[in-house]
Amino acid sequence: MNTFRTDRELLRQCQRLARSQFPAICQPRPAQSHKGTFGTLGIIGGAEGMAGSVSLSAVAALHCGCGKVWIGFHQPTLPLPLLTQQPEIMLATAEHLLQRSDISAWVIGCGLGTHESAVSVLKSCLQQHNIVTLLDADALNLLAQQPDILAGRKNKHNIILTPHPGEASRLLQCSISEIQGNRNQAVCRLAAKYNAWVVLKGHQSLIASPNGQVWQNNSGNPGLATAGSGDVLAGIIGSLLAQQIPLEQAVYAGVWLHGTAADILAANEIGPIGLCAGEIATAVRWLRNRLSETN
């Protein structure tokens, strides 16, 4: 069990901010709850050699409060019988997971790969299921190569894209320096081009809605510049979406929770140097519980 120390005034500031901007994530759990109350997240990715990416995402989703989490590995057979560090997470192949009808939200792309079979999996997820879907990592690279992947989507407003500057440059067919030179313009262009919610990751990540409204996140520190951090963010946002947090609050709050968790870890001498992505999840769990305290 992880117990974190933090300045009381800082914690009060976090509580005030969250309760005013993301009230849906601050509600205490009803006494008569069950695992189905808090949704089921499906995470698809983890091609051969990339099982760690979806595992990080799934663990973060579970610690952020999702009722049930499935991983769908983009492999012919399961690469492992269970996640030994988190056996509560259920495993399937991507093909079998896509056949389920009880998924509340999808995250796709973490370690998915970019082969033709990955294109097929992405298209199946987007066209067979019209529920809220977050595209990250390789799903964004495939979208950059084939923008018409979204053409058959009935409701594009429930699509979230979470590119880092390199992925954003491919999506907009421009240089990374152009993205970084005017991040505000870049995130708006992405939201308009794909008619989707966009999180442009990086220092002070930017979020744009499909109608062009932009919000800047001010939490976080350089400790988040580590392998797997983006996978964790995808899992956090996906978890909130599966819990039926309104989409706008889920995206904003997910980015803020991710950054604030890193700040809490740094305050406890866990980073920023050497902070590991797998350490973020427990700080997110601790923070969500502090936010739901009634006193």
Side-chain angles (χ1 to χ4, degrees):
M1 179 178 290
N2 295 84
T3 301
F4 297 100
R5 296 175 288 104
T6 189
D7 179 79
R8 285 190 176 184
E9 179 54 33
L10 174 61
L11 180 57
R12 283 195 289 267
Q13 289 175 7
C14 288
Q15 290 171 330
R16 285 196 295 268
L17 185 148
R19 289 167 185 174
S20 64
Q21 296 191 27
F22 332 116
I25 72 164
C26 302
Q27 302 303 311
R29 292 277 161 106
Q32 294 184 344
S33 299
H34 54 84
K35 61 188 177 183
T37 306
F38 306 110
T40 302
L41 180 65
I43 303 175
I44 293 179
E48 187 174 353
M50 297 296 291
S53 56
V54 283
S55 301
L56 283 167
S57 187
V59 170
L62 200 62
H63 280 70
C64 192
C66 196
K68 295 183 285 184
V69 180
W70 280 92
I71 292 176
F73 290 97
H74 179 217
Q75 300 186 38
T77 59
L78 290 181
L80 62 170
L82 80 164
L83 289 184
T84 54
Q85 79 273 32
Q86 205 73 69
E88 300 90 344
I89 293 168
M90 296 169 284
L91 312 182
T93 63
E95 180 183 1
H96 285 110
L97 184 56
L98 283 168
Q99 295 173 14
R100 297 191 66 90
S101 59
D102 61 342
I103 304 298
S104 309
W106 291 100
V107 168
I108 184 166
C110 304
L112 181 67
T114 55
H115 297 299
E116 189 59 37
S117 59
V119 177
S120 177
V121 168
L122 178 56
K123 285 182 176 178
S124 294
C125 185
L126 289 169
Q127 295 172 11
Q128 294 176 17
H129 304 273
N130 200 39
I131 59 176
V132 61
T133 303
L134 184 150
L135 276 62
D136 188 37
D138 285 332
L140 299 173
N141 293 325
L142 292 173
L143 179 61
Q145 295 169 14
Q146 300 186 38
D148 61 345
I149 285 177
L150 293 178
R153 182 79 174 188
K154 295 178 182 177
N155 182 4
K156 295 179 186 175
H157 283 185
N158 64 4
I159 292 286
I160 301 105
L161 312 179
T162 56
H164 57 54
E167 291 158 347
S169 72
R170 291 188 281 276
L171 288 165
L172 289 177
Q173 297 182 319
C174 65
S175 67
I176 295 176
S177 61
E178 288 177 276
I179 298 292
Q180 295 295 76
N182 194 333
R183 286 171 54 83
N184 196 292
Q185 181 186 75
V187 76
C188 288
R189 286 178 59 199
L190 285 164
K193 179 175 180 178
Y194 294 99
N195 197 25
W197 287 82
V198 177
V199 177
L200 179 57
K201 296 183 288 194
H203 175 59
Q204 297 183 328
S205 295
L206 297 176
I207 299 165
S209 68
N211 64 13
Q213 182 180 1
V214 178
W215 182 80
Q216 178 179 291
N217 178 62
N218 294 314
S219 67
N221 60 63
L224 292 172
T226 185
S229 177
D231 302 317
V232 170
L233 174 62
I236 292 170
I237 296 174
S239 179
L240 296 176
L241 294 167
Q243 293 171 63
Q244 303 303 307
I245 302 296
L247 194 154
E248 179 176 348
Q249 288 191 51
V251 178
Y252 290 175
V255 175
W256 177 80
L257 282 168
H258 183 251
T260 304
D263 291 337
I264 290 167
L265 289 166
N268 284 266
E269 301 180 357
I270 304 171
I273 296 173
L275 188 153
C276 296
E279 296 173 304
I280 299 169
T282 53
V284 169
R285 176 176 62 188
W286 181 87
L287 180 57
R288 281 215 68 194
N289 280 284
R290 301 294 77 74
L291 294 177
S292 66
E293 290 174 345
T294 55
N295 54 5

